């Protein structure tokens, strides 16, 4: 099928395009982008679907470097099918899925299973992230080389830190040899043990055990030191504190090759969301304070934080209905991430182009040629609207206001602290590898 998207506001940071024009898609690839002044995009086939995108953003499909799809083993929380449907609904055409499944993705056979299920049932591209250590137990390295060959694009023990510094050193050494990022869940579990929210006055008032911000920061500092020692490829997951932003900024200024992500909940809300023992606001790392939110925004603005990822962590409703201490951590994020990030554009924290960079181009750059090798795609085929790139495109109605209604999420995870919020800007069409999904 051919699709011509006409008169949209095209934003493609990979080509410094930010203006009105048309995008032509043929089968699974981008054929071309035309600005208003250039000639008509030519297509010979009469089987052409034309979409008028006047007043809408037309952007490369978003890439989420941090998604929990839960399959295999935890299908009661989410499946590859429901998770990727939530992705395309939220404007994501690629998700990288974390290994904390059952069994853990610590072996090529699990990676192959995920890729097979994704090719059978997935609505978008899925790239697995392998575990750093066997069983995510933090004791013995997993077979990183074999898993990379099977299709893993990065390695992480997400959900848990690698507490053993020697193992983390070795993982970073391997990351250099194999050219894969190590995504670090930074948490010193001795400092955070038993904690269920941010440590401070509010945790004391609520009678809940806190996790101090330094539990994150000492590990960010350790991992930066190990990245400097090894020259390995460190990517810091879900940055939540002012101190972490400062450490990452300093490290980058010193020329250490690291990247970092944050998530919409860390720049949209504070620990106040926990008041009333709202388990939908229980997440790890925990929601922090106003000064942390401001620091994260500053870090996004000045480029310290490269990426906005979702940390989409779906849980079943009855699990979140348990007492705060016993409810699992996590927020279902795929269906609100873009709208929450558009608020940063409205506030003037980011330009629309910078937002697209952080949600599409930068993840593509970090994963680089890795998101190409397995499906034998060409390098640079995602995160861009360049001719020949994958036909991954999102059309966003930036004016439309809507109410977040968790029970209407297509994800199985209805666990969001944003339920009932009024947000502005929503994908109306997502095209993933040439397949079109219309929402409104
Ligand atoms: O809140 C979280 N939930 N943080 C993590 O690191 C893991 C995730 C999950 O898997 O539920």
């Amino acid at each position: 099928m051919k699709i011509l998207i006409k008169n949209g506001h095209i934003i493609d940071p990979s080509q410094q395009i930010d203006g009105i024009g048309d995008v032509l898609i043929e089968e699974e690839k981008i054929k071309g982008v035309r600005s208003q002044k250039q000639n008509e995009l030519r297509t010979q086939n009469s089987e052409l679907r034309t979409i008028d995108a006047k007043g809408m953003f037309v952007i490369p499909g978003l890439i989420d470097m941090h998604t929990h799809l839960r399959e295999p083993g935890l299908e009661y929380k989410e499946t590859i099918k429901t998770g990727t449907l939530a992705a395309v609904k939220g404007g994501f055409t690629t998700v990288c899925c974390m290994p904390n499944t059952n069994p853990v993705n610590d072996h090529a056979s699990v990676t192959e299973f995920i890729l097979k299920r994704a090719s059978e049932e997935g609505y978008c591209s899925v790239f697995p992230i392998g575990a750093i250590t066997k069983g995510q137990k933090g004791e013995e390295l997993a077979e990183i080389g074999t898993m990379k060959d099977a299709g893993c694009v990065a390695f992480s023990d997400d959900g848990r830190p690698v507490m053993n510094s020697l193992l983390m050193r070795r993982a970073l050494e391997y990351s250099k040899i194999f050219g894969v990022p190590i995504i670090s869940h930074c948490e010193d579990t001795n400092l955070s043990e038993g904690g269920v929210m941010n440590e401070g006055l509010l945790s004391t008032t609520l009678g809940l055990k806190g996790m101090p911000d330094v539990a994150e920061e000492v590990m960010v500092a350790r991992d930066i030191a190990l990245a400097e020692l090894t020259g390995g490829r460190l990517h810091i997951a879900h940055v939540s504190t002012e101190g972490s932003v400062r450490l990452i900024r300093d490290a980058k200024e010193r020329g250490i090759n690291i990247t970092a992500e944050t998530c919409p909940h860390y720049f949209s809300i504070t620990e106040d969301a926990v008041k009333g023992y709202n388990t939908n606001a229980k997440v790890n790392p925990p929601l922090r304070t106003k000064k942390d939110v401001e620091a994260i925004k500053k870090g996004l603005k000045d480029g310290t934080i490269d990426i906005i990822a979702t940390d989409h962590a779906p849980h079943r409703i009855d699990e979140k209905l348990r007492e705060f201490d016993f409810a699992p951590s996590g927020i279902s994020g795929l269906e609100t991430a873009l709208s929450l990030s558009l608020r940063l554009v409205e506030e003037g924290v980011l330009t629309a182009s910078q937002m697209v960079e952080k949600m599409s181009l930068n993840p593509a750059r970090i994963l680089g040629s890795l998101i190409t090798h397995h499906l034998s795609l060409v390098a640079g085929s995602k995160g861009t609207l360049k001719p020949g790139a994958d036909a991954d495109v999102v059309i966003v109605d930036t004016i439309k206001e809507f109410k977040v209604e968790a029970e209407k999420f297509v994800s199985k995870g209805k666990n969001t602290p944003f339920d009932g919020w009024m947000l502005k800007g929503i994908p109306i069409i997502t095209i993933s590898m040439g397949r079109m999904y219309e929402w409104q």
Side-chain angles (χ1 to χ4, degrees), residues 185-205:
H185 171 116
C186 291
E187 175 185 350
D188 181 320
T189 50
N190 294 313
L191 285 165
S192 66
E193 201 185 345
V196 291
M197 68 169 291
N198 183 49
E199 180 181 292
L201 180 61
L202 184 62
S203 62
T204 310
T205 313

Side-chain angles (χ1 to χ4, degrees), residues 66 158 185 198 211 216 237-242 245 261-271 281-297 300 305 307-311 329-331 340 344 417-418:
H66 195 141
D158 184 65
H185 171 116
N198 183 49
M211 303 165 92
E216 177 174 314
H238 41 50
V239 170
S240 76
T241 80
E242 182 187 28
V245 177
E261 74 188 31
T262 191
C263 316
H265 38 274
Y266 299 120
F267 58 71
S268 304
I269 46 179
T270 65
E271 61 178 5
K282 182 176 177 184
V283 61
N284 186 18
L287 299 170
R288 305 286 185 181
T289 64
K290 201 159 179 287
K291 76 167 175 41
D292 298 295
V293 169
E294 292 312 315
I296 300 254
K297 287 184 186 174
L300 282 164
I305 300 177
I307 281 180
I308 299 173
T310 69
D311 196 359
S329 298
I331 290 173
L340 289 167
L344 295 178
F418 302 106

Side-chain angles (χ1 to χ4, degrees), residues 135-315:
Q136 293 191 298
K137 291 199 175 105
E139 290 161 5
E140 196 186 342
L141 281 185
E143 299 284 347
I144 291 179
T146 324
M147 290 171 74
K148 184 198 164 181
D149 289 344
C152 285
V153 295
F155 291 84
S156 180
D157 271 1
D158 184 65
R160 292 180 187 176
V162 177
M163 282 294 288
N164 181 326
S165 304
L166 177 61
L167 268 185
M168 193 61 171
R169 173 187 179 169
R170 296 282 176 252
L172 285 163
E173 284 165 350
Y174 273 54
S175 78
K176 207 174 154 191
I177 298 166
F178 292 112
V180 285
I182 298 291
I183 304 178
S184 181
H185 171 116
C186 291
E187 175 185 350
D188 181 320
T189 50
N190 294 313
L191 285 165
S192 66
E193 201 185 345
V196 291
M197 68 169 291
N198 183 49
E199 180 181 292
L201 180 61
L202 184 62
S203 62
T204 310
T205 313
L206 292 174
L208 294 173
K209 187 154 184 333
M211 303 165 92
D213 45 14
V214 292
E216 177 174 314
E217 291 153 10
V218 293
M219 290 297 258
V220 171
R222 180 203 72 172
D223 287 349
I224 288 169
L226 292 174
E228 185 171 18
L229 172 74
T230 59
R233 287 190 52 193
L234 173 67
H235 175 78
I236 297 177
H238 41 50
V239 170
S240 76
T241 80
E242 182 187 28
S244 297
V245 177
R246 191 169 51 238
L247 286 161
I248 296 162
R249 186 181 290 119
D250 290 351
K252 285 188 168 189
E253 276 168 14
R254 288 196 297 118
I256 304 169
N257 181 22
I258 58 166
T259 53
E261 74 188 31
T262 191
C263 316
H265 38 274
Y266 299 120
F267 58 71
S268 304
I269 46 179
T270 65
E271 61 178 5
D272 285 349
V274 171
K275 283 180 184 166
Y277 303 92
N278 179 5
T279 56
N280 286 327
K282 182 176 177 184
V283 61
N284 186 18
L287 299 170
R288 305 286 185 181
T289 64
K290 201 159 179 287
K291 76 167 175 41
D292 298 295
V293 169
E294 292 312 315
I296 300 254
K297 287 184 186 174
K298 197 152 172 272
L300 282 164
K301 194 179 175 79
D302 70 14
T304 301
I305 300 177
D306 308 86
I307 281 180
I308 299 173
T310 69
D311 196 359
H312 176 75
H315 292 292

